[in-house]
Coordinates of all heavy atoms in Angstrom, one line a residue:
Y1276 N -87.0 43.3 44.1 CA -87.2 42.4 45.2 C -86.8 43.0 46.4 O -85.6 43.6 46.5 CB -86.2 41.2 44.7 CG -86.0 40.1 45.8 CD1 -87.2 39.6 46.6 CD2 -84.8 39.5 46.1 CE1 -87.0 38.7 47.5 CE2 -84.6 38.5 47.0 CZ -85.7 38.1 47.8 OH -85.6 37.2 48.7
R1280 N -85.1 39.5 56.6 CA -84.9 38.3 57.2 C -84.4 38.2 58.7 O -83.2 38.2 58.9 CB -83.8 37.4 56.4 CG -84.3 37.3 54.8 CD -83.1 36.6 54.1 NE -83.6 36.6 52.6 CZ -82.6 36.6 51.7 NH1 -81.4 36.9 51.9 NH2 -83.0 36.6 50.5
P1281 N -85.3 38.2 59.6 CA -85.0 38.0 61.1 C -84.6 36.6 61.3 O -85.2 35.6 60.8 CB -86.1 38.5 61.7 CG -87.3 38.3 60.7 CD -86.8 38.5 59.5
R1282 N -83.7 36.3 62.1 CA -83.2 35.0 62.4 C -82.8 34.8 63.8 O -82.2 35.8 64.4 CB -82.0 34.5 61.5 CG -81.6 33.2 61.7 CD -80.3 32.9 60.8 NE -79.2 33.6 61.2 CZ -78.0 33.6 60.6 NH1 -78.0 33.0 59.5 NH2 -77.0 34.2 61.1
L1283 N -83.2 33.7 64.5 CA -82.8 33.4 65.9 C -82.2 32.1 66.0 O -82.9 31.1 65.5 CB -84.0 33.6 66.7 CG -83.6 33.4 68.4 CD1 -82.7 34.6 68.7 CD2 -85.0 33.5 69.1
L1284 N -81.0 32.0 66.4 CA -80.3 30.6 66.5 C -79.9 30.5 68.0 O -79.4 31.3 68.6 CB -79.0 30.6 65.7 CG -79.2 30.8 64.2 CD1 -77.9 30.8 63.5 CD2 -80.2 29.8 63.5
T1295 N -76.6 23.7 66.8 CA -77.3 24.9 66.4 C -78.7 24.6 66.1 O -79.0 23.7 65.3 CB -76.6 25.6 65.0 OG1 -75.3 26.0 65.4 CG2 -77.6 26.9 64.7
L1296 N -79.6 25.3 66.6 CA -81.0 25.2 66.5 C -81.7 26.5 66.1 O -81.3 27.6 66.9 CB -81.8 24.6 67.5 CG -81.4 23.0 67.8 CD1 -82.2 22.6 69.2 CD2 -82.0 22.2 66.8
G1297 N -82.6 26.7 65.2 CA -83.2 28.0 65.0 C -83.9 28.1 63.6 O -84.1 27.0 63.0
A1298 N -84.3 29.3 63.2 CA -85.1 29.5 62.0 C -84.8 30.9 61.6 O -84.7 31.7 62.3 CB -86.5 29.2 62.3
E1299 N -85.1 31.0 60.2 CA -85.1 32.4 59.6 C -86.5 32.7 59.0 O -87.0 31.6 58.4 CB -83.9 32.5 58.6 CG -83.8 33.7 57.9 CD -82.5 33.8 57.0 OE1 -82.7 33.4 55.8 OE2 -81.5 34.4 57.4
L1300 N -86.8 33.8 59.0 CA -88.2 34.1 58.5 C -88.0 35.0 57.2 O -87.3 36.0 57.2 CB -89.0 34.9 59.4 CG -90.4 35.3 59.0 CD1 -91.2 34.2 58.5 CD2 -91.1 36.2 60.1
E1301 N -88.3 34.5 56.1 CA -88.3 35.3 54.8 C -89.5 36.1 54.6 O -90.6 35.5 54.4 CB -88.0 34.2 53.6 CG -88.1 34.9 52.3 CD -86.9 35.5 51.6 OE1 -85.8 35.1 52.3 OE2 -87.0 36.1 50.6
L1319 N -94.2 37.2 50.1 CA -93.8 35.9 50.5 C -93.5 36.0 52.1 O -92.8 36.9 52.4 CB -92.7 35.4 49.8 CG -92.0 34.0 50.1 CD1 -93.0 32.9 49.9 CD2 -90.7 33.7 49.4
A1320 N -94.0 35.0 52.8 CA -93.6 35.0 54.2 C -93.4 33.4 54.4 O -94.3 32.6 54.4 CB -94.8 35.4 55.1
K1321 N -92.2 33.1 54.6 CA -91.8 31.6 54.8 C -90.8 31.5 55.9 O -89.8 32.2 56.1 CB -91.0 31.3 53.4 CG -91.1 29.8 53.2 CD -92.4 29.2 52.8 CE -92.3 27.8 52.5 NZ -93.7 27.3 52.0
V1322 N -91.2 30.5 56.8 CA -90.3 30.1 57.8 C -89.2 29.1 57.2 O -89.5 28.2 56.7 CB -91.1 29.5 59.0 CG1 -90.1 29.0 60.0 CG2 -92.0 30.5 59.5
L1323 N -87.9 29.4 57.5 CA -86.8 28.5 57.0 C -86.1 28.0 58.2 O -85.0 28.6 58.8 CB -85.9 29.4 56.2 CG -86.6 30.1 55.0 CD1 -85.5 31.0 54.2 CD2 -87.2 29.1 54.0
P1324 N -86.4 26.7 58.7 CA -85.8 26.2 59.9 C -84.4 25.7 59.5 O -84.1 25.4 58.3 CB -86.7 25.1 60.3 CG -87.5 24.7 59.1 CD -87.7 26.0 58.2
Q1325 N -83.4 25.5 60.4 CA -82.2 25.0 60.3 C -81.7 24.3 61.5 O -82.2 24.8 62.6 CB -81.1 26.0 59.7 CG -80.9 27.1 60.7 CD -79.9 28.1 60.2 OE1 -80.3 29.0 59.4 NE2 -78.6 28.0 60.6
A1326 N -80.8 23.4 61.5 CA -80.3 22.7 62.6 C -79.0 22.0 62.3 O -78.8 21.7 61.1 CB -81.3 21.7 63.0
M1327 N -78.1 21.9 63.2 CA -76.9 21.3 63.0 C -76.2 20.7 64.4 O -76.5 21.3 65.4 CB -75.8 22.4 62.5 CG -74.4 21.7 62.2 SD -73.3 21.5 63.7 CE -72.9 23.2 64.1
R1341 N -76.8 17.9 59.7 CA -77.3 19.1 59.4 C -78.6 19.2 58.6 O -78.8 18.1 57.8 CB -76.3 20.0 58.6 CG -75.8 19.4 57.3 CD -74.6 19.9 56.8 NE -74.3 19.2 55.4 CZ -73.7 17.9 55.3 NH1 -73.4 17.3 56.4 NH2 -73.6 17.5 54.1
Y1342 N -79.4 20.1 58.8 CA -80.6 20.3 58.1 C -80.9 21.8 57.8 O -80.6 22.7 58.7 CB -81.8 19.7 58.9 CG -83.2 20.2 58.4 CD1 -83.7 19.6 57.2 CD2 -83.9 21.2 59.0 CE1 -84.9 20.1 56.6 CE2 -85.1 21.6 58.5 CZ -85.6 21.1 57.3 OH -86.8 21.4 56.7
N1343 N -81.2 22.1 56.5 CA -81.5 23.6 56.2 C -82.6 23.6 55.1 O -82.8 22.7 54.4 CB -80.2 24.2 55.8 CG -79.6 23.8 54.7 OD1 -80.1 23.8 53.5 ND2 -78.4 23.2 54.8
T1344 N -83.1 24.8 55.0 CA -84.1 25.0 54.0 C -83.8 26.3 53.2 O -83.0 27.1 53.9 CB -85.5 25.1 54.6 OG1 -85.5 26.1 55.5 CG2 -86.0 23.8 55.1
A1345 N -84.2 26.5 52.0 CA -83.9 27.6 51.3 C -84.9 27.9 50.2 O -85.7 27.0 49.7 CB -82.6 27.6 50.6
V1346 N -85.1 29.3 49.9 CA -86.0 29.7 48.9 C -85.3 30.3 47.7 O -84.3 31.1 48.0 CB -87.0 30.7 49.4 CG1 -87.9 31.4 48.3 CG2 -88.0 30.1 50.5
T1347 N -85.6 30.0 46.5 CA -84.9 30.5 45.2 C -85.9 31.1 44.4 O -87.0 30.5 44.1 CB -84.1 29.4 44.6 OG1 -83.3 28.7 45.4 CG2 -83.4 30.0 43.3
L1348 N -85.6 32.4 44.1 CA -86.5 33.1 43.2 C -86.2 33.0 41.8 O -85.1 32.9 41.4 CB -86.7 34.6 43.6 CG -87.0 34.9 45.0 CD1 -86.9 36.4 45.2 CD2 -88.5 34.5 45.3
P1375 N -91.5 30.8 43.3 CA -90.2 30.5 44.0 C -90.2 29.0 44.4 O -91.3 28.4 44.6 CB -90.2 31.3 45.3 CG -91.3 32.4 45.2 CD -92.3 31.8 44.1
S1376 N -88.9 28.5 44.2 CA -88.9 27.1 44.6 C -88.4 27.1 46.1 O -87.8 27.9 46.6 CB -87.8 26.4 43.7 OG -86.5 27.0 44.0
Y1377 N -88.7 25.9 46.8 CA -88.5 25.7 48.2 C -87.9 24.4 48.5 O -88.4 23.4 48.0 CB -89.9 25.7 49.0 CG -89.8 25.8 50.5 CD1 -88.8 26.5 51.2 CD2 -90.6 25.0 51.2 CE1 -88.7 26.4 52.5 CE2 -90.6 24.8 52.5 CZ -89.6 25.7 53.3 OH -89.4 25.6 54.7
R1378 N -86.7 24.5 49.0 CA -85.9 23.3 49.1 C -85.6 22.9 50.5 O -85.2 23.8 51.3 CB -84.4 23.5 48.4 CG -83.6 22.3 48.3 CD -82.2 22.5 47.9 NE -81.6 23.3 48.9 CZ -80.6 24.1 48.7 NH1 -80.1 24.4 47.5 NH2 -80.0 24.8 49.8
H1379 N -85.7 21.5 50.8 CA -85.2 21.0 52.1 C -84.0 20.1 51.9 O -84.0 19.4 50.8 CB -86.4 20.1 52.7 CG -87.6 20.8 52.9 ND1 -87.9 21.2 54.3 CD2 -88.6 21.1 52.2 CE1 -89.1 21.9 54.2 NE2 -89.6 21.8 52.9
R1380 N -83.0 20.3 52.7 CA -81.7 19.5 52.5 C -81.3 18.9 53.9 O -81.3 19.7 54.8 CB -80.7 20.4 51.9 CG -79.3 19.6 51.8 CD -78.2 20.5 51.2 NE -78.5 20.8 49.7 CZ -77.7 21.5 49.0 NH1 -76.9 22.3 49.5 NH2 -78.1 21.8 47.7
V1381 N -80.9 17.7 53.9 CA -80.4 17.1 55.1 C -79.1 16.3 54.8 O -79.0 15.8 53.7 CB -81.5 16.1 55.7 CG1 -81.8 15.0 54.7 CG2 -81.0 15.5 57.0
G1382 N -78.2 16.4 55.7 CA -76.9 15.7 55.4 C -76.2 15.2 56.7 O -76.6 15.5 57.7
E1401 N -76.2 13.0 51.7 CA -77.1 14.1 51.6 C -78.2 13.9 50.7 O -78.2 13.1 49.7 CB -76.3 15.3 51.0 CG -76.9 16.6 51.1 CD -75.9 17.7 50.6 OE1 -75.0 18.2 51.5 OE2 -76.0 18.1 49.4
A1402 N -79.3 14.4 51.1 CA -80.7 14.3 50.4 C -81.3 15.7 50.2 O -81.3 16.5 51.3 CB -81.5 13.2 51.0
S1403 N -82.1 15.9 49.3 CA -82.7 17.1 49.1 C -84.1 16.9 48.4 O -84.3 16.0 47.7 CB -82.0 18.2 48.4 OG -81.8 17.8 47.0
Y1404 N -85.1 17.8 48.8 CA -86.4 17.7 48.2 C -86.8 19.2 47.8 O -86.6 20.0 48.7 CB -87.5 17.1 49.1 CG -88.8 17.4 48.6 CD1 -89.5 16.9 47.5 CD2 -89.7 18.3 49.5 CE1 -90.7 17.1 47.2 CE2 -91.0 18.5 49.0 CZ -91.5 18.0 47.9 OH -92.7 18.3 47.6
T1405 N -87.2 19.4 46.6 CA -87.4 20.7 46.1 C -88.9 20.8 45.5 O -89.2 19.9 44.7 CB -86.5 21.1 45.0 OG1 -85.1 21.1 45.5 CG2 -86.7 22.6 44.6
R1406 N -89.6 21.7 46.0 CA -90.9 21.9 45.6 C -91.0 23.1 44.6 O -90.3 24.1 44.9 CB -91.9 22.3 46.8 CG -93.3 21.6 46.7 CD -94.1 21.6 48.0 NE -94.2 22.9 48.4 CZ -94.0 23.3 49.8 NH1 -93.8 22.2 50.5 NH2 -94.2 24.4 50.2

Side-chain angles (χ1 to χ4, degrees):
Y1276 173 41
R1280 296 175 187 149
R1282 185 182 67 186
L1283 182 63
L1284 300 178
T1295 299
L1296 294 172
E1299 183 174 81
L1300 179 61
E1301 167 91 9
L1319 180 67
K1321 198 75 175 178
V1322 177
L1323 304 175
Q1325 64 182 81
M1327 185 277 295
R1341 62 199 179 275
Y1342 165 75
N1343 62 66
T1344 55
V1346 172
T1347 303
L1348 299 176
S1376 61
Y1377 184 46
R1378 187 195 66 205
H1379 299 262
R1380 177 181 289 174
V1381 61
E1401 191 169 279
S1403 67
Y1404 164 69
T1405 305
R1406 220 169 53 223

